[in-house]
Amino acid sequence: MNNAWQGAGRRIRIQEVGTRDGLQMEAQFVPTADKIALIDALSQTGLAKIEVTSFTSPKAIPALRDAEIVMREIARVPGVVYTALVPNVRGAERAIESRTDELNLVMSTSETHNLANLRMTRERSFAGLTEVVRAAQAAGVPVNVSLSCVFGCPMEGDVAEREVFGWAQRFVDLGVQGLTLCDTTGMAFPTQVAALTRAARERWPGTELTLHFHNTRGMGLANVLAAIDAGADRFDTSIGGLGGCPYAPGATGNVCSEEIVHALQLMGFDTGIDLGRLIAASKRLPALIGHEVPSQIVKAGQRLDLHPVPDDFDAVRERALARDNALT
């Protein structure tokens, strides 16, 4: 029985997207060698999957213009899936040539968002991604499809479940391995998440289902727990809480990897993550990107990271004890 309040060793798989979804939003280019070192450090933490980079045009996303080098030169750890976002067949070819384990394809369930973000209609996106799926299948490379704005569009409002599931079904019919339901702009709320997650799991029990949340309105962790309660066991998270969305004013980053792992482990879930190593990797980020990260764990530490008593504690205690003695 699924119950978010009783982890009882239930396995939750954490999939890191900060090295793609996060770094692509940064104005400061992270040197290739530093990207590789960061991913190598993350590979040692126990993550189930790492979205390494994006094989898009360097002109479109200059922050990830070193995709081939990074994907080829990372030190791969057995059991970790190294995935990458690809927008078209050419991107898929580059990713496959670079030994990418899985291709991640993206389109929006909102027509307005798809036009604003990808500059094409949903039908045109689907036609192009169909070609990518076929190319990947011919090469024997698994495909995951990430559907954006599943929980709401900042320009249209709510997206009907029939729209979401209609597009998802078309990709399932193509034979993709996984689906990711994305809260692209942080509009999801827990009861909505629980209902949609439960319905998706019932409809496609043989498809690997991932949930992707942002913390724009402070409901990231609550949404993760709601999804777990509905049976989900795979989540995209971002180291340091990096990320965002250019079409959602005020949007913050993705749910933070170390914050989610910290909470789930305290609740008794098995994430397979070495939290100390994950936090250490996150602490590298400010020097790489030139600013602080949203992560509260980086700022405040883990729950039982204790602190020294104040310098005058002994004197305070002596005065308190003296007052107590004077009363007796």
Side-chain angles (χ1 to χ4, degrees):
M1 181 178 178
N2 301 311
N3 187 329
W5 307 113
Q6 295 178 349
R10 179 178 160 198
R11 183 61 189 270
I12 303 295
R13 289 165 176 79
I14 303 298
Q15 305 176 165
E16 178 59 49
V17 300
T19 46
R20 192 281 298 175
D21 204 358
L23 293 186
Q24 75 174 15
M25 298 291 295
E26 295 298 324
Q28 182 168 305
F29 179 77
V30 176
T32 302
D34 290 331
K35 283 194 186 88
I36 292 169
L38 177 61
I39 294 163
D40 287 350
L42 289 169
S43 291
Q44 297 296 325
T45 64
L47 289 160
K49 184 184 292 186
I50 300 174
E51 190 174 40
V52 174
T53 188
S54 175
F55 287 87
T56 50
S57 166
K59 292 181 180 179
I61 306 181
L64 303 179
R65 59 182 180 265
D66 50 6
E68 279 92 347
I69 299 172
V70 173
M71 186 61 84
R72 288 171 181 164
E73 295 190 6
I74 54 175
R76 302 183 184 224
V77 171
V80 180
V81 175
Y82 296 92
T83 186
L85 186 147
V86 299
N88 49 38
V89 171
R90 178 58 191 138
E93 291 170 347
R94 291 169 57 205
I96 292 168
E97 289 168 2
S98 301
R99 299 187 300 115
T100 305
D101 295 333
E102 176 194 84
L103 305 186
N104 185 33
L105 317 183
V106 177
M107 68 165 280
S108 184
T109 58
S110 157
E111 182 78 354
T112 305
H113 184 266
N114 207 71
L115 284 164
N117 189 42
L118 301 177
R119 303 294 191 266
M120 63 182 81
T121 65
R122 291 175 297 176
E123 284 294 347
R124 183 69 193 93
S125 282
F126 180 77
L129 295 181
T130 297
E131 296 179 8
V132 177
V133 172
R134 289 170 178 160
Q137 291 171 337
V141 178
V143 173
N144 181 83
V145 173
S146 293
L147 294 173
S148 302
C149 294
V150 164
F151 300 94
C153 169
M155 293 163 280
E156 291 185 13
D158 285 328
V159 178
E161 181 180 303
R162 66 178 180 277
E163 288 286 320
V164 172
F165 284 3
W167 288 106
Q169 186 65 58
R170 292 175 73 173
F171 283 108
V172 170
D173 291 343
L174 289 178
V176 302
Q177 175 178 296
L179 291 171
T180 300
L181 305 182
C182 299
D183 178 30
T184 312
T185 61
M187 296 173 69
F189 59 94
T191 49
Q192 175 199 35
V193 167
L196 205 62
T197 300
R198 191 171 292 110
R201 290 188 70 250
E202 291 174 355
R203 187 160 182 170
W204 302 294
T207 301
E208 190 176 278
L209 181 68
T210 297
L211 278 298
H212 177 112
F213 296 116
H214 287 235
N215 199 40
T216 304
R217 293 169 178 84
M219 288 189 281
L221 175 58
N223 287 330
V224 168
L225 295 177
I228 289 174
D229 209 53
D233 61 3
R234 288 181 179 272
F235 295 91
D236 285 349
T237 65
S238 177
I239 186 172
L242 296 183
C245 179
Y247 301 102
T252 56
N254 299 57
V255 289
C256 175
S257 300
E258 56 268 27
E259 290 179 359
I260 296 300
V261 170
H262 180 254
L264 294 183
Q265 289 185 352
L266 286 173
M267 296 173 72
F269 291 96
D270 173 16
T271 66
I273 302 290
D274 183 324
L275 183 55
R277 286 187 173 186
L278 185 63
I279 294 170
S282 189
K283 286 181 176 179
R284 297 180 179 213
L285 290 173
L288 297 179
I289 62 179
H291 62 82
E292 289 188 356
V293 295
S295 171
Q296 293 301 312
I297 299 299
V298 166
K299 295 171 184 174
Q302 299 185 55
R303 173 176 173 266
L304 290 179
D305 286 349
L306 303 183
H307 303 277
V309 297
D311 291 340
D312 63 345
F313 180 77
D314 288 340
V316 169
R317 179 174 58 187
E318 289 300 322
R319 288 194 297 271
L321 290 174
R323 287 193 296 270
D324 286 352
N325 290 332
L327 295 175
T328 60

